[in-house]
Amino acid sequence: MKLIKAFIHHVRAPEVIQALSAGGFRRLSLLESKGTLRAVSDVEKDFSLEAGGLLIAETQLELVCDDHEVEAATAIIRTTARIGPQISGWVYVSTIDQALPIGDEQ
């Protein structure tokens, strides 16, 4: 199994979720975050004294999938999350060593 972690512009999150769902991917989580992606507009920019600089609203998407699904899932994310010609985020793929259920298996 693999963990795909993507950092994308928050404005693209709904389209990415819909595209992944249409592709049959269901095991995903979203987290709101602040990061250093290039801002699409001035509205996205937010100065943070704690972080010591300019940050923008990002979405961290995490998706667990089987090894053979990685190429399809990352292609969906990279295509759907793109904004303009510049880099619009990052996708990371990691191996999951164990996946354990919480509670009884039924």
Side-chain angles (χ1 to χ4, degrees):
M1 293 185 86
K2 300 290 187 191
L3 170 64
I4 298 172
K5 191 180 291 189
F7 295 87
I8 62 175
H9 286 270
H10 74 285
V11 296
R12 300 302 298 156
E15 290 86 358
V16 173
I17 293 166
Q18 287 177 338
L20 286 168
S21 181
F25 297 99
R26 303 277 189 268
R27 297 180 285 190
L28 61 96
S29 299
L30 296 173
L31 298 111
E32 292 181 18
S33 62
K34 299 271 186 187
T36 57
L37 291 177
R38 287 190 187 149
V40 176
S41 69
D42 286 340
V43 175
E44 282 191 317
K45 295 178 182 178
D46 182 29
F47 188 80
S48 169
L49 289 175
E50 295 84 27
L54 210 52
L55 300 176
I56 68 161
E58 294 180 0
T59 297
Q60 179 180 329
L61 179 145
E62 293 184 358
L63 169 68
V64 175
C65 65
D66 292 324
D67 291 2
H68 70 277
E69 298 174 309
V70 170
E71 189 174 329
T74 56
I76 289 170
I77 295 167
R78 294 182 72 217
T79 301
T80 311
R82 185 175 182 163
I83 297 177
Q86 74 274 8
I87 294 173
S88 301
W90 294 95
V91 179
Y92 303 96
V93 179
S94 303
T95 300
I96 295 176
D97 293 328
Q98 264 188 329
L100 305 170
I102 298 172
D104 293 335
E105 287 188 34
Q106 297 180 2

